[in-house]
Amino acid sequence: MQIRIIKPGMLSTLQDGGRYGFLSQAVPISGCMDGLSARLANLAVGNEDNAAVIEFTYANAEFIAETDILIAYTGDGAGLSLALGDIPAERPVFIPAGTLVKLNNSSLGSRTYLSIAGGWDVPEVLGSRSTYLTAAIGGLQGRQLKAGDILNSIDRLTPIAENMLDSLKDDGPNYTNWSLARQLLLPADRKTIRVVPANEAGWFEEKSITDFLTTPYTLSLRSNRMGYQLPHHNRRLMVNNVSV
């Protein structure tokens, strides 16, 4: 199975469950930002949980099916659509060769995960297919996707994926009448950010900690997949009377 990227969107990379065991060599875990959605996308097409998926950030992306494909998508960053209408999420979808698929804006989140039966075929690097952009390893040549990229699935389907493909294959797009209940698996307090004091908490003045926990912040445009920067416009934290 094969697709060709027409528009890559803001940031689209290949990710899986992550690259563990190399933090001491300064190699981060990487992996999907939303592990639940990625696993469910794989489950929907009969893949192993850790199979590689495409992680799209927001929308404004497009790809074309170069061959018949069996895919699924989850996450709140975008909705997928064809010329004939929207593609439902969280279920296997058969798309015939030559079909253009678009990712449309959603106000609910930022990440969307696209799985394909068999998983995306990119090399493992240090035990993971995840893209680590800073070191240019993993994924597709260690970089984000760009227009014209060709992506193939691993030519090895699970029996579940083979059965779904046989039952859904048609002259046009087709999908099951069932879906995975992702909303039931999301935590009720998913909009709450927890703060856990570490050993360095004692470095800060008491007022700085109080300000950090009680005053508003704005997410900086300098944030990335490794960390979110939260600049405070009114106050600065104090470490041993030094402003940071």
Side-chain angles (χ1 to χ4, degrees):
M1 301 181 196
Q2 184 181 89
I3 70 168
R4 174 165 48 91
I5 301 297
I6 305 299
K7 294 173 63 176
M10 179 182 293
L11 176 62
S12 303
T13 58
L14 275 297
Q15 301 291 341
D16 60 13
R19 183 173 288 107
Y20 290 87
F22 300 95
L23 290 176
S24 61
Q25 284 79 47
V27 179
I29 295 172
S30 301
C32 298
M33 297 291 289
D34 180 356
L36 173 62
S37 291
R39 291 194 301 273
L40 290 178
N42 277 320
L43 179 62
V45 291
N47 291 347
E48 296 181 356
D49 285 358
N50 200 41
V53 294
I54 300 177
E55 179 184 87
F56 293 99
T57 302
Y58 296 109
N60 196 31
E62 298 177 8
F63 66 88
I64 192 167
E66 295 288 333
T67 65
D68 292 349
I69 58 175
L70 180 67
I71 62 170
Y73 79 97
T74 60
D76 294 325
L80 271 63
S81 69
L82 313 172
L84 299 176
D86 294 339
I87 301 174
E90 295 144 20
R91 70 187 73 195
V93 180
F94 170 77
I95 297 178
T99 304
L100 179 67
V101 181
K102 297 183 178 183
L103 277 76
N104 304 311
N105 289 326
S106 168
S107 61
L108 300 177
S110 60
R111 313 282 181 185
T112 303
Y113 295 88
L114 180 71
S115 64
I116 193 167
W120 296 106
D121 189 10
V122 290
E124 285 192 3
V125 179
L126 300 178
S128 172
R129 292 183 167 88
S130 288
T131 307
Y132 174 32
L133 293 172
T134 303
I137 62 173
L140 183 65
Q141 301 171 9
R143 59 170 172 78
Q144 65 189 77
L145 299 182
K146 62 183 181 181
D149 282 341
I150 300 292
L151 295 172
N152 294 287
S153 66
I154 295 175
D155 190 20
R156 185 181 66 253
L157 302 185
T158 64
I160 294 175
E162 288 180 347
N163 290 336
M164 285 191 291
L165 182 59
D166 289 341
S167 64
L168 291 174
K169 195 166 186 178
D170 203 342
D171 292 335
N174 195 16
Y175 51 83
T176 61
N177 56 11
W178 56 264
S179 64
L180 301 176
R182 173 174 168 268
Q183 291 297 323
L184 298 181
L185 300 175
L186 295 174
D189 59 348
R190 59 185 179 276
K191 294 185 178 181
T192 299
I193 298 175
R194 291 181 173 85
V195 177
V196 180
N199 293 334
E200 294 83 359
W203 296 358
F204 295 89
E205 294 183 352
E206 183 176 342
K207 185 175 184 304
S208 291
I209 295 177
T210 301
D211 287 346
F212 174 68
L213 296 175
T214 59
T215 54
Y217 287 78
T218 301
L219 188 65
S220 169
L221 293 176
R222 297 178 63 187
S223 300
N224 56 33
R225 296 184 80 259
M226 292 188 68
Y228 296 114
Q229 295 193 25
L230 304 173
H232 193 299
H233 300 295
N234 299 319
R235 300 183 179 89
R236 299 184 70 82
L237 300 180
M238 299 297 294
V239 181
N240 295 328
N241 293 319
V242 177
S243 178
V244 298

